[in-house]
Amino acid sequence: MASVAVPPNAHAGGGSLPNTNAAPNSQTPGHPSFRSERADSPRGQSPTTDSSGTFHAPPGNGLYNGERGMPVTTLSELQAAQQVSNDGSMIPFMKPKFARAPIKEAGRVAYLGESSNLSLLVHDWHGTTDVVHYPLPDTVKGSRARLTELDNVEIDILHQRGAFLLPPRALCDELVDSFFKWVAPVVPVINRSRFMRRYRDNKNPPSLLLLQAILLAGSRVCTNTQLMDANGSTTPAAMTFYKRAKALYDANYEDDRVTIVQALILMGWYWEGPEGKYPERATLADACRSDIASDVTRNVFYWSRVATIVAQGSGMHRSVEGSQLSRADKRLWKRIWWTLFTRDRSVAVALGRPVHINTDDSDVEMISEDDFIEDETDTKAEFSPDHVHVQFFLQYVRLCEIMGLVLSQQYSVASKARRQNAIDLTHSDMALADWLQNCAKEVTWEKSRHHFWSALLHSNY
Protein backbone atom coordinates (compact mmCIF):
# COMPACT_ATOMS: atom_id res chain seq x y z
CA MET A 1 0.00 0.00 0.00
CA ALA A 2 1.20 3.50 -0.76
CA SER A 3 2.11 5.39 2.37
CA VAL A 4 1.07 8.92 3.15
CA ALA A 5 2.69 11.37 5.48
CA VAL A 6 0.59 12.19 8.52
CA PRO A 7 1.30 15.70 9.83
CA PRO A 8 3.26 15.91 13.09
CA ASN A 9 1.16 15.51 16.23
CA ALA A 10 -1.69 14.01 14.27
CA HIS A 11 -2.28 11.55 17.11
CA ALA A 12 -2.15 12.51 20.75
CA GLY A 13 -1.12 16.09 21.32
CA GLY A 14 -2.13 17.49 17.94
CA GLY A 15 -4.98 15.08 17.28
CA SER A 16 -8.57 16.12 17.34
CA LEU A 17 -11.68 14.33 18.43
CA PRO A 18 -14.73 14.42 16.20
CA ASN A 19 -16.59 17.51 17.36
CA THR A 20 -20.13 16.31 17.89
CA ASN A 21 -21.46 19.59 19.26
CA ALA A 22 -19.87 22.46 17.32
CA ALA A 23 -21.84 23.91 14.44
CA PRO A 24 -20.40 23.56 10.95
CA ASN A 25 -18.14 26.45 9.98
CA SER A 26 -19.75 28.81 7.52
CA GLN A 27 -16.53 28.79 5.53
CA THR A 28 -16.85 25.06 4.94
CA PRO A 29 -17.92 24.08 1.40
CA GLY A 30 -21.34 22.51 1.61
CA HIS A 31 -22.50 24.68 4.50
CA PRO A 32 -25.80 26.41 3.60
CA SER A 33 -24.26 29.87 4.02
CA PHE A 34 -21.06 29.10 2.11
CA ARG A 35 -22.45 30.39 -1.17
CA SER A 36 -24.96 32.93 0.13
CA GLU A 37 -22.32 34.86 2.10
CA ARG A 38 -20.47 35.37 -1.15
CA ALA A 39 -23.50 36.73 -2.98
CA ASP A 40 -24.21 40.45 -2.91
CA SER A 41 -27.54 40.27 -4.65
CA PRO A 42 -30.80 39.91 -2.75
CA ARG A 43 -32.00 36.37 -2.35
CA GLY A 44 -34.68 35.28 -4.74
CA GLN A 45 -33.38 36.95 -7.90
CA SER A 46 -33.26 34.62 -10.89
CA PRO A 47 -30.99 34.52 -13.93
CA THR A 48 -32.45 36.11 -17.05
CA THR A 49 -31.87 35.94 -20.79
CA ASP A 50 -32.07 38.78 -23.28
CA SER A 51 -33.71 38.70 -26.71
CA SER A 52 -30.61 37.07 -28.22
CA GLY A 53 -30.74 34.25 -25.72
CA THR A 54 -27.60 35.36 -23.85
CA PHE A 55 -27.57 34.30 -20.22
CA HIS A 56 -27.30 37.03 -17.57
CA ALA A 57 -26.92 36.20 -13.88
CA PRO A 58 -28.13 38.51 -11.12
CA PRO A 59 -25.50 41.18 -10.37
CA GLY A 60 -23.01 40.40 -7.66
CA ASN A 61 -23.61 36.67 -7.22
CA GLY A 62 -20.30 35.67 -8.81
CA LEU A 63 -21.93 33.66 -11.62
CA TYR A 64 -21.73 35.10 -15.11
CA ASN A 65 -20.76 34.52 -18.71
CA GLY A 66 -17.45 35.99 -19.77
CA GLU A 67 -13.81 35.46 -20.57
CA ARG A 68 -13.03 34.45 -16.98
CA GLY A 69 -15.33 31.49 -17.40
CA MET A 70 -13.33 30.05 -20.27
CA PRO A 71 -11.63 26.71 -19.53
CA VAL A 72 -7.84 26.54 -19.41
CA THR A 73 -6.43 25.45 -22.76
CA THR A 74 -2.73 25.20 -21.91
CA LEU A 75 -0.82 22.69 -19.81
CA SER A 76 1.73 23.46 -17.14
CA GLU A 77 5.24 22.13 -17.67
CA LEU A 78 4.56 19.30 -15.21
CA GLN A 79 1.29 18.41 -16.92
CA ALA A 80 2.92 18.45 -20.34
CA ALA A 81 5.69 16.16 -19.14
CA GLN A 82 3.13 13.82 -17.60
CA GLN A 83 1.17 13.72 -20.87
CA VAL A 84 4.29 12.77 -22.81
CA SER A 85 4.92 10.03 -20.25
CA ASN A 86 1.34 8.80 -20.50
CA ASP A 87 1.48 8.75 -24.29
CA GLY A 88 4.23 6.18 -24.08
CA SER A 89 2.87 4.27 -21.10
CA MET A 90 1.57 1.39 -23.21
CA ILE A 91 4.90 0.76 -24.94
CA PRO A 92 6.27 -1.38 -22.05
CA PHE A 93 3.38 -3.80 -22.53
CA MET A 94 4.93 -4.75 -25.85
CA LYS A 95 8.37 -5.47 -24.45
CA PRO A 96 9.53 -9.11 -24.37
CA LYS A 97 8.72 -11.01 -21.20
CA PHE A 98 6.55 -8.17 -19.89
CA ALA A 99 3.57 -10.50 -19.67
CA ARG A 100 5.50 -12.61 -17.15
CA ALA A 101 7.12 -9.74 -15.28
CA PRO A 102 6.77 -9.95 -11.48
CA ILE A 103 4.12 -7.76 -9.88
CA LYS A 104 5.94 -5.98 -7.07
CA GLU A 105 3.01 -3.80 -5.95
CA ALA A 106 -0.43 -5.39 -5.78
CA GLY A 107 -2.03 -1.95 -5.90
CA ARG A 108 -0.43 -1.15 -9.26
CA VAL A 109 -1.87 -3.78 -11.56
CA ALA A 110 -3.31 -3.27 -15.04
CA TYR A 111 -6.10 -5.56 -16.21
CA LEU A 112 -6.51 -6.30 -19.90
CA GLY A 113 -9.60 -8.37 -20.66
CA GLU A 114 -9.58 -10.77 -23.57
CA SER A 115 -11.73 -8.54 -25.78
CA SER A 116 -9.48 -5.50 -25.31
CA ASN A 117 -7.70 -4.35 -28.47
CA LEU A 118 -4.51 -3.83 -26.50
CA SER A 119 -4.85 -7.30 -25.02
CA LEU A 120 -5.02 -8.76 -28.53
CA LEU A 121 -1.83 -6.93 -29.48
CA VAL A 122 0.02 -8.05 -26.34
CA HIS A 123 -1.04 -11.67 -26.79
CA ASP A 124 -0.09 -11.61 -30.47
CA TRP A 125 3.33 -10.17 -29.60
CA HIS A 126 4.09 -12.64 -26.83
CA GLY A 127 2.15 -15.61 -28.12
CA THR A 128 0.33 -15.95 -24.78
CA THR A 129 -3.40 -15.95 -24.08
CA ASP A 130 -3.60 -16.77 -20.38
CA VAL A 131 -2.36 -13.51 -18.84
CA VAL A 132 -4.80 -10.73 -17.91
CA HIS A 133 -2.94 -9.06 -15.02
CA TYR A 134 0.12 -6.91 -15.74
CA PRO A 135 2.31 -4.69 -13.56
CA LEU A 136 1.72 -1.01 -14.29
CA PRO A 137 4.76 0.51 -16.03
CA ASP A 138 6.88 2.85 -13.94
CA THR A 139 5.95 5.66 -16.32
CA VAL A 140 2.38 5.49 -15.03
CA LYS A 141 2.77 7.38 -11.79
CA GLY A 142 -0.84 7.50 -10.71
CA SER A 143 -2.72 10.25 -8.93
CA ARG A 144 -0.20 10.55 -6.09
CA ALA A 145 2.29 11.93 -8.60
CA ARG A 146 -0.09 14.86 -9.11
CA LEU A 147 -0.33 15.76 -5.42
CA THR A 148 2.10 18.61 -6.00
CA GLU A 149 -0.50 20.07 -8.36
CA LEU A 150 -3.30 20.17 -5.79
CA ASP A 151 -4.38 23.79 -5.83
CA ASN A 152 -4.97 25.87 -2.74
CA VAL A 153 -8.72 25.32 -2.88
CA GLU A 154 -8.35 21.52 -2.77
CA ILE A 155 -5.78 21.70 0.01
CA ASP A 156 -8.00 24.09 1.95
CA ILE A 157 -10.96 21.74 1.61
CA LEU A 158 -8.87 18.83 2.93
CA HIS A 159 -7.83 20.92 5.93
CA GLN A 160 -11.36 22.16 6.58
CA ARG A 161 -12.65 18.60 6.45
CA GLY A 162 -9.98 17.63 8.96
CA ALA A 163 -8.67 15.01 6.55
CA PHE A 164 -5.18 15.19 8.08
CA LEU A 165 -6.43 14.88 11.68
CA LEU A 166 -6.65 11.74 13.77
CA PRO A 167 -8.14 11.21 17.25
CA PRO A 168 -5.81 10.89 20.26
CA ARG A 169 -3.77 7.71 20.04
CA ALA A 170 -5.66 5.84 22.78
CA LEU A 171 -9.03 6.41 21.11
CA CYS A 172 -7.55 5.65 17.70
CA ASP A 173 -6.26 2.32 19.03
CA GLU A 174 -9.67 1.48 20.45
CA LEU A 175 -11.39 2.24 17.16
CA VAL A 176 -8.94 0.06 15.23
CA ASP A 177 -9.40 -2.78 17.72
CA SER A 178 -13.19 -2.47 17.48
CA PHE A 179 -12.97 -2.60 13.71
CA PHE A 180 -10.99 -5.83 13.62
CA LYS A 181 -13.16 -7.41 16.31
CA TRP A 182 -16.62 -6.57 14.96
CA VAL A 183 -16.38 -5.36 11.36
CA ALA A 184 -13.48 -7.20 9.73
CA PRO A 185 -15.10 -10.65 10.11
CA VAL A 186 -17.97 -9.43 7.90
CA VAL A 187 -15.67 -7.69 5.41
CA PRO A 188 -12.25 -9.41 5.66
CA VAL A 189 -10.59 -7.09 3.15
CA ILE A 190 -7.52 -6.04 5.13
CA ASN A 191 -4.38 -8.00 5.94
CA ARG A 192 -4.37 -7.25 9.67
CA SER A 193 -0.74 -8.21 10.28
CA ARG A 194 0.45 -6.00 7.42
CA PHE A 195 -1.76 -3.08 8.46
CA MET A 196 -0.80 -3.19 12.15
CA ARG A 197 2.88 -3.37 11.28
CA ARG A 198 2.57 -0.05 9.48
CA TYR A 199 0.11 1.38 12.00
CA ARG A 200 2.82 1.13 14.66
CA ASP A 201 5.51 2.52 12.37
CA ASN A 202 5.61 6.34 12.48
CA LYS A 203 8.11 6.39 9.61
CA ASN A 204 5.96 4.26 7.30
CA PRO A 205 2.32 4.72 8.38
CA PRO A 206 -0.63 3.12 6.58
CA SER A 207 -2.66 4.90 3.94
CA LEU A 208 -4.43 7.88 5.48
CA LEU A 209 -7.51 7.21 3.34
CA LEU A 210 -7.70 3.63 4.59
CA LEU A 211 -7.11 4.65 8.21
CA GLN A 212 -9.91 7.23 8.13
CA ALA A 213 -12.22 4.60 6.59
CA ILE A 214 -11.30 2.10 9.32
CA LEU A 215 -12.01 4.74 11.99
CA LEU A 216 -15.39 5.34 10.34
CA ALA A 217 -16.33 1.67 10.42
CA GLY A 218 -14.90 1.25 13.91
CA SER A 219 -16.92 4.17 15.23
CA ARG A 220 -20.09 2.28 14.33
CA VAL A 221 -19.31 -0.50 16.80
CA CYS A 222 -17.12 1.24 19.39
CA THR A 223 -18.82 2.01 22.71
CA ASN A 224 -16.40 4.69 23.92
CA THR A 225 -18.47 7.59 25.30
CA GLN A 226 -16.06 10.09 23.76
CA LEU A 227 -17.66 9.27 20.41
CA MET A 228 -21.25 9.75 21.56
CA ASP A 229 -23.48 12.79 21.39
CA ALA A 230 -25.99 13.83 24.05
CA ASN A 231 -28.36 11.08 22.90
CA GLY A 232 -25.72 8.36 23.04
CA SER A 233 -25.42 8.14 19.25
CA THR A 234 -22.12 7.79 17.41
CA THR A 235 -23.61 9.02 14.12
CA PRO A 236 -22.08 12.52 14.33
CA ALA A 237 -18.65 10.99 14.98
CA ALA A 238 -19.11 8.56 12.10
CA MET A 239 -20.09 11.51 9.88
CA THR A 240 -16.82 13.25 10.80
CA PHE A 241 -14.70 10.27 9.77
CA TYR A 242 -16.82 9.79 6.65
CA LYS A 243 -16.26 13.38 5.51
CA ARG A 244 -12.53 13.05 6.11
CA ALA A 245 -12.28 9.83 4.12
CA LYS A 246 -14.50 11.13 1.33
CA ALA A 247 -12.46 14.33 1.03
CA LEU A 248 -9.28 12.29 0.58
CA TYR A 249 -10.97 10.04 -1.96
CA ASP A 250 -12.39 12.97 -3.93
CA ALA A 251 -8.95 14.60 -4.03
CA ASN A 252 -7.38 11.42 -5.50
CA TYR A 253 -5.06 11.39 -2.51
CA GLU A 254 -4.43 7.64 -2.79
CA ASP A 255 -3.22 5.82 -5.90
CA ASP A 256 -2.90 2.25 -4.61
CA ARG A 257 -5.89 0.54 -6.21
CA VAL A 258 -6.21 -2.17 -3.57
CA THR A 259 -6.23 0.44 -0.84
CA ILE A 260 -8.88 2.44 -2.68
CA VAL A 261 -11.15 -0.62 -2.97
CA GLN A 262 -10.68 -1.41 0.72
CA ALA A 263 -11.54 2.15 1.74
CA LEU A 264 -14.58 2.32 -0.55
CA ILE A 265 -16.02 -0.85 0.96
CA LEU A 266 -15.63 0.58 4.46
CA MET A 267 -17.11 3.96 3.54
CA GLY A 268 -20.41 2.13 3.14
CA TRP A 269 -20.51 1.94 6.94
CA TYR A 270 -21.69 5.53 6.95
CA TRP A 271 -25.31 5.07 6.00
CA GLU A 272 -28.07 7.65 6.32
CA GLY A 273 -30.71 5.23 5.10
CA PRO A 274 -31.74 3.85 1.71
CA GLU A 275 -32.81 7.21 0.30
CA GLY A 276 -31.52 10.02 2.47
CA LYS A 277 -30.98 11.49 5.91
CA TYR A 278 -32.40 9.62 8.86
CA PRO A 279 -35.50 8.21 7.13
CA GLU A 280 -36.74 6.74 10.39
CA ARG A 281 -37.44 10.30 11.55
CA ALA A 282 -39.21 11.33 8.38
CA THR A 283 -42.96 11.50 7.86
CA LEU A 284 -44.59 10.36 4.64
CA ALA A 285 -44.76 13.99 3.53
CA ASP A 286 -41.10 14.46 4.32
CA ALA A 287 -40.21 11.42 2.25
CA CYS A 288 -41.77 13.07 -0.78
CA ARG A 289 -39.44 16.04 -0.55
CA SER A 290 -36.34 16.05 -2.71
CA ASP A 291 -33.94 16.49 0.20
CA ILE A 292 -34.90 12.98 1.31
CA ALA A 293 -35.48 11.20 -1.96
CA SER A 294 -32.60 12.58 -4.02
CA ASP A 295 -29.61 11.56 -1.93
CA VAL A 296 -28.59 8.08 -3.06
CA THR A 297 -24.88 8.79 -3.23
CA ARG A 298 -23.87 8.23 0.36
CA ASN A 299 -25.11 4.78 1.33
CA VAL A 300 -23.82 1.24 1.28
CA PHE A 301 -25.41 0.53 -2.10
CA TYR A 302 -23.53 3.39 -3.75
CA TRP A 303 -20.12 2.76 -2.19
CA SER A 304 -20.18 -1.01 -2.71
CA ARG A 305 -20.94 -0.42 -6.40
CA VAL A 306 -18.09 2.06 -6.75
CA ALA A 307 -15.74 -0.37 -5.01
CA THR A 308 -16.77 -3.13 -7.42
CA ILE A 309 -16.07 -0.91 -10.43
CA VAL A 310 -12.57 -0.06 -9.19
CA ALA A 311 -11.91 -3.71 -8.34
CA GLN A 312 -12.98 -4.88 -11.79
CA GLY A 313 -10.74 -2.21 -13.31
CA SER A 314 -7.80 -3.94 -11.63
CA GLY A 315 -9.03 -7.41 -12.57
CA MET A 316 -10.04 -8.59 -9.11
CA HIS A 317 -12.94 -10.45 -10.69
CA ARG A 318 -10.50 -12.71 -12.49
CA SER A 319 -8.45 -15.56 -11.09
CA VAL A 320 -4.97 -14.51 -10.00
CA GLU A 321 -3.64 -18.01 -9.39
CA GLY A 322 -1.56 -17.82 -12.57
CA SER A 323 -0.50 -14.20 -12.02
CA GLN A 324 2.79 -12.90 -10.67
CA LEU A 325 1.22 -11.63 -7.43
CA SER A 326 2.67 -12.89 -4.17
CA ARG A 327 0.81 -15.67 -2.35
CA ALA A 328 -0.28 -13.23 0.39
CA ASP A 329 -1.68 -10.80 -2.16
CA LYS A 330 -3.46 -13.57 -4.05
CA ARG A 331 -5.23 -14.54 -0.85
CA LEU A 332 -6.10 -10.92 -0.06
CA TRP A 333 -7.48 -10.30 -3.55
CA LYS A 334 -9.70 -13.34 -3.26
CA ARG A 335 -11.06 -12.20 0.10
CA ILE A 336 -11.72 -8.73 -1.31
CA TRP A 337 -13.58 -10.10 -4.32
CA TRP A 338 -15.79 -12.45 -2.34
CA THR A 339 -16.48 -9.63 0.12
CA LEU A 340 -17.68 -7.50 -2.78
CA PHE A 341 -19.84 -10.41 -3.88
CA THR A 342 -21.47 -10.72 -0.45
CA ARG A 343 -22.07 -6.97 -0.27
CA ASP A 344 -23.59 -7.01 -3.74
CA ARG A 345 -26.06 -9.79 -2.96
CA SER A 346 -26.96 -8.80 0.60
CA VAL A 347 -27.47 -5.11 -0.25
CA ALA A 348 -29.58 -6.04 -3.28
CA VAL A 349 -31.82 -8.15 -1.06
CA ALA A 350 -32.02 -5.60 1.74
CA LEU A 351 -32.80 -2.58 -0.46
CA GLY A 352 -34.60 -4.28 -3.33
CA ARG A 353 -31.96 -3.18 -5.85
CA PRO A 354 -30.55 -5.07 -8.85
CA VAL A 355 -27.36 -7.06 -8.43
CA HIS A 356 -24.20 -5.67 -9.99
CA ILE A 357 -21.84 -8.63 -10.18
CA ASN A 358 -22.48 -11.14 -12.95
CA THR A 359 -20.86 -14.43 -11.96
CA ASP A 360 -20.47 -15.32 -15.63
CA ASP A 361 -17.82 -12.59 -15.85
CA SER A 362 -15.77 -13.95 -12.96
CA ASP A 363 -13.53 -16.98 -12.62
CA VAL A 364 -12.22 -16.35 -9.10
CA GLU A 365 -11.93 -19.63 -7.22
CA MET A 366 -14.24 -20.23 -4.27
CA ILE A 367 -12.77 -18.85 -1.07
CA SER A 368 -11.33 -21.34 1.43
CA GLU A 369 -9.82 -21.40 4.90
CA ASP A 370 -6.30 -21.08 3.47
CA ASP A 371 -7.19 -17.69 2.04
CA PHE A 372 -7.29 -16.22 5.55
CA ILE A 373 -3.64 -17.01 6.24
CA GLU A 374 -1.66 -13.75 6.21
CA ASP A 375 1.91 -15.09 6.20
CA GLU A 376 4.21 -13.12 3.90
CA THR A 377 6.95 -14.73 1.84
CA ASP A 378 9.58 -13.93 4.46
CA THR A 379 7.45 -12.92 7.46
CA LYS A 380 5.23 -14.92 9.78
CA ALA A 381 1.85 -13.31 10.35
CA GLU A 382 1.38 -11.64 13.73
CA PHE A 383 -2.31 -12.52 13.82
CA SER A 384 -3.63 -16.02 13.19
CA PRO A 385 -7.07 -16.48 11.60
CA ASP A 386 -9.94 -16.77 14.06
CA HIS A 387 -11.63 -20.08 13.22
CA VAL A 388 -15.14 -18.84 14.05
CA HIS A 389 -14.69 -15.70 11.97
CA VAL A 390 -13.39 -17.75 9.06
CA GLN A 391 -16.31 -20.17 9.19
CA PHE A 392 -18.76 -17.29 9.47
CA PHE A 393 -17.52 -15.73 6.24
CA LEU A 394 -17.28 -19.01 4.34
CA GLN A 395 -20.88 -19.83 5.20
CA TYR A 396 -21.95 -16.27 4.48
CA VAL A 397 -20.51 -16.46 0.95
CA ARG A 398 -22.46 -19.66 0.28
CA LEU A 399 -25.63 -18.10 1.66
CA CYS A 400 -25.15 -15.06 -0.59
CA GLU A 401 -24.89 -17.38 -3.59
CA ILE A 402 -28.38 -18.63 -2.73
CA MET A 403 -29.56 -15.03 -2.28
CA GLY A 404 -28.50 -14.38 -5.87
CA LEU A 405 -30.41 -17.44 -7.03
CA VAL A 406 -33.58 -16.36 -5.23
CA LEU A 407 -33.30 -12.81 -6.57
CA SER A 408 -32.90 -14.07 -10.12
CA GLN A 409 -35.71 -16.62 -9.98
CA GLN A 410 -38.25 -14.78 -7.84
CA TYR A 411 -37.62 -11.03 -7.88
CA SER A 412 -35.92 -10.06 -11.13
CA VAL A 413 -37.78 -8.17 -13.84
CA ALA A 414 -37.30 -11.13 -16.17
CA SER A 415 -38.96 -13.45 -13.65
CA LYS A 416 -42.10 -11.31 -13.73
CA ALA A 417 -42.46 -11.92 -17.45
CA ARG A 418 -42.55 -15.67 -17.11
CA ARG A 419 -44.91 -17.91 -15.18
CA GLN A 420 -44.12 -18.77 -11.62
CA ASN A 421 -42.31 -22.04 -11.80
CA ALA A 422 -42.76 -24.49 -8.94
CA ILE A 423 -39.44 -26.04 -9.84
CA ASP A 424 -37.67 -22.73 -9.21
CA LEU A 425 -39.26 -22.45 -5.77
CA THR A 426 -38.33 -26.01 -4.97
CA HIS A 427 -34.77 -25.39 -6.15
CA SER A 428 -34.42 -22.37 -3.86
CA ASP A 429 -35.93 -24.22 -0.90
CA MET A 430 -33.63 -27.19 -1.44
CA ALA A 431 -30.59 -24.94 -1.66
CA LEU A 432 -31.47 -23.24 1.63
CA ALA A 433 -32.18 -26.56 3.33
CA ASP A 434 -28.86 -27.94 2.11
CA TRP A 435 -27.04 -24.85 3.38
CA LEU A 436 -28.61 -25.18 6.82
CA GLN A 437 -27.85 -28.90 7.04
CA ASN A 438 -24.21 -28.45 6.08
CA CYS A 439 -23.52 -25.25 7.97
CA ALA A 440 -20.37 -25.51 10.08
CA LYS A 441 -21.18 -26.32 13.70
CA GLU A 442 -19.12 -23.39 14.98
CA VAL A 443 -21.60 -20.96 13.42
CA THR A 444 -24.80 -23.00 13.59
CA TRP A 445 -27.29 -21.15 15.74
CA GLU A 446 -28.98 -23.03 18.56
CA LYS A 447 -31.41 -21.54 21.02
CA SER A 448 -29.63 -23.20 23.93
CA ARG A 449 -26.21 -21.95 22.78
CA HIS A 450 -26.50 -18.33 21.72
CA HIS A 451 -23.50 -16.91 19.89
CA PHE A 452 -23.24 -13.54 18.17
CA TRP A 453 -21.72 -14.71 14.89
CA SER A 454 -24.05 -17.67 14.51
CA ALA A 455 -27.03 -15.42 15.30
CA LEU A 456 -25.90 -12.86 12.73
CA LEU A 457 -25.41 -15.51 10.09
CA HIS A 458 -28.78 -17.13 10.69
CA SER A 459 -30.59 -13.80 10.75
CA ASN A 460 -29.53 -13.52 7.11
CA TYR A 461 -30.80 -17.05 6.50
Side-chain angles (χ1 to χ4, degrees):
M1 287 185 284
S3 63
V4 295
V6 178
N9 302 323
H11 286 295
S16 115
L17 283 171
N19 190 339
T20 59
N21 298 314
N25 191 303
S26 63
Q27 298 302 307
T28 303
H31 188 273
S33 63
F34 181 72
R35 293 178 185 271
S36 61
E37 288 183 0
R38 286 154 178 73
D40 300 323
S41 61
R43 298 186 60 147
Q45 286 189 316
S46 302
T48 60
T49 56
D50 58 21
S51 58
S52 64
T54 302
F55 173 88
H56 295 284
N61 73 347
L63 179 67
Y64 60 90
N65 290 87
E67 293 299 323
R68 290 179 59 190
M70 287 295 293
V72 176
T73 57
T74 58
L75 298 178
S76 67
E77 291 183 7
L78 185 60
Q79 289 173 329
Q82 183 64 41
Q83 180 170 319
V84 172
S85 176
N86 290 341
D87 289 342
S89 62
M90 294 298 109
I91 296 177
F93 285 95
M94 301 303 184
K95 292 182 178 180
K97 300 182 179 179
F98 186 79
R100 300 296 179 182
I103 298 176
K104 298 178 181 179
E105 296 180 69
R108 291 178 52 77
V109 174
Y111 168 70
L112 299 178
E114 288 85 350
S115 64
S116 166
N117 291 337
L118 184 57
S119 177
L120 294 174
L121 291 173
V122 172
H123 290 164
D124 181 64
W125 185 280
H126 297 295
T128 60
T129 58
D130 60 334
V131 178
V132 293
H133 300 95
Y134 303 85
L136 276 175
D138 292 335
T139 54
V140 181
K141 299 299 183 182
S143 58
R144 285 296 300 281
R146 296 194 297 272
L147 283 181
T148 54
E149 293 195 6
L150 285 177
D151 59 38
N152 291 333
V153 174
E154 291 175 308
I155 294 174
D156 186 50
I157 290 174
L158 289 177
H159 279 291
Q160 290 192 44
R161 288 300 188 195
F164 304 114
L165 299 177
L166 297 172
R169 186 68 189 214
L171 180 57
C172 207
D173 291 346
E174 188 173 346
L175 285 166
V176 171
D177 289 342
S178 296
F179 166 79
F180 282 109
K181 182 177 181 181
W182 298 111
V183 178
V186 182
V187 285
V189 297
I190 296 176
N191 183 316
R192 185 179 186 182
S193 298
R194 185 184 295 175
F195 175 84
M196 293 304 298
R197 187 163 59 247
R198 295 186 60 177
Y199 179 72
R200 303 186 187 110
D201 187 352
N202 292 329
K203 295 182 179 179
N204 185 31
S207 161
L208 185 56
L209 170 64
L210 180 59
L211 181 54
Q212 295 287 16
I214 287 176
L215 297 180
L216 159 62
S219 69
R220 286 306 205 184
V221 294
C222 184
T223 57
N224 191 308
T225 55
Q226 292 177 281
L227 298 168
M228 299 178 182
D229 62 10
N231 298 318
S233 172
T234 61
T235 297
M239 181 187 296
T240 300
F241 294 125
Y242 170 80
K243 288 182 177 180
R244 292 174 180 177
K246 187 175 184 297
L248 291 167
Y249 172 73
D250 289 341
N252 292 323
Y253 198 82
E254 179 60 60
D255 73 342
D256 185 291
R257 298 179 180 186
V258 174
T259 301
I260 293 172
V261 173
Q262 293 168 323
L264 288 171
I265 292 172
L266 299 183
M267 285 172 70
W269 249 256
Y270 177 70
W271 188 40
E272 293 182 343
E275 298 296 343
K277 295 183 178 181
Y278 313 112
E280 69 277 3
R281 303 179 190 175
T283 64
L284 181 60
D286 291 333
C288 297
R289 297 191 176 101
S290 60
D291 61 341
I292 292 291
S294 64
D295 191 0
V296 293
T297 61
R298 55 167 67 189
N299 58 30
V300 63
F301 178 80
Y302 174 84
W303 289 114
S304 63
R305 292 316 196 252
V306 176
T308 300
I309 291 171
V310 177
Q312 289 175 326
S314 294
M316 288 188 178
H317 62 298
R318 301 299 303 273
S319 172
V320 293
E321 288 304 312
S323 75
Q324 300 302 306
L325 286 170
S326 69
R327 171 50 57 186
D329 284 324
K330 288 178 180 178
R331 289 166 171 163
L332 179 61
W333 276 43
K334 192 184 292 188
R335 297 207 310 270
I336 290 175
W337 179 250
W338 283 109
T339 296
L340 287 169
F341 176 81
T342 61
R343 304 303 285 170
D344 181 65
R345 290 333 194 233
S346 60
V347 170
V349 169
L351 302 183
R353 305 286 173 83
V355 298
H356 188 197
I357 295 175
N358 184 350
T359 54
D360 289 341
D361 296 328
S362 175
D363 58 359
V364 178
E365 296 79 7
M366 176 53 66
I367 194 167
S368 66
E369 291 186 43
D370 288 344
D371 294 316
F372 291 83
I373 299 174
E374 298 182 341
D375 294 347
E376 305 281 355
T377 304
D378 54 354
T379 307
K380 184 73 174 177
E382 177 184 354
F383 299 93
S384 300
D386 184 295
H387 185 65
V388 173
H389 293 170
V390 170
Q391 287 302 319
F392 167 84
F393 191 73
L394 294 180
Q395 300 302 324
Y396 186 42
V397 169
R398 296 185 178 97
L399 186 59
C400 286
E401 285 187 303
I402 303 174
M403 287 185 194
L405 176 67
V406 173
L407 284 171
S408 174
Q409 294 182 347
Q410 307 299 324
Y411 297 101
S412 67
V413 174
S415 69
K416 305 298 181 183
R418 60 177 182 263
R419 294 182 178 180
Q420 290 293 331
N421 193 330
I423 297 178
D424 289 342
L425 287 172
T426 303
H427 189 189
S428 299
D429 287 341
M430 290 178 63
L432 286 169
D434 181 72
W435 178 87
L436 185 60
Q437 183 177 355
N438 294 286
C439 185
K441 290 184 177 180
E442 297 88 339
V443 288
T444 298
W445 185 82
E446 297 177 5
K447 188 174 182 180
S448 60
R449 186 178 59 86
H450 180 76
H451 187 273
F452 174 79
W453 294 107
S454 62
L456 179 62
L457 181 63
H458 283 258
S459 66
N460 283 275
Y461 166 80

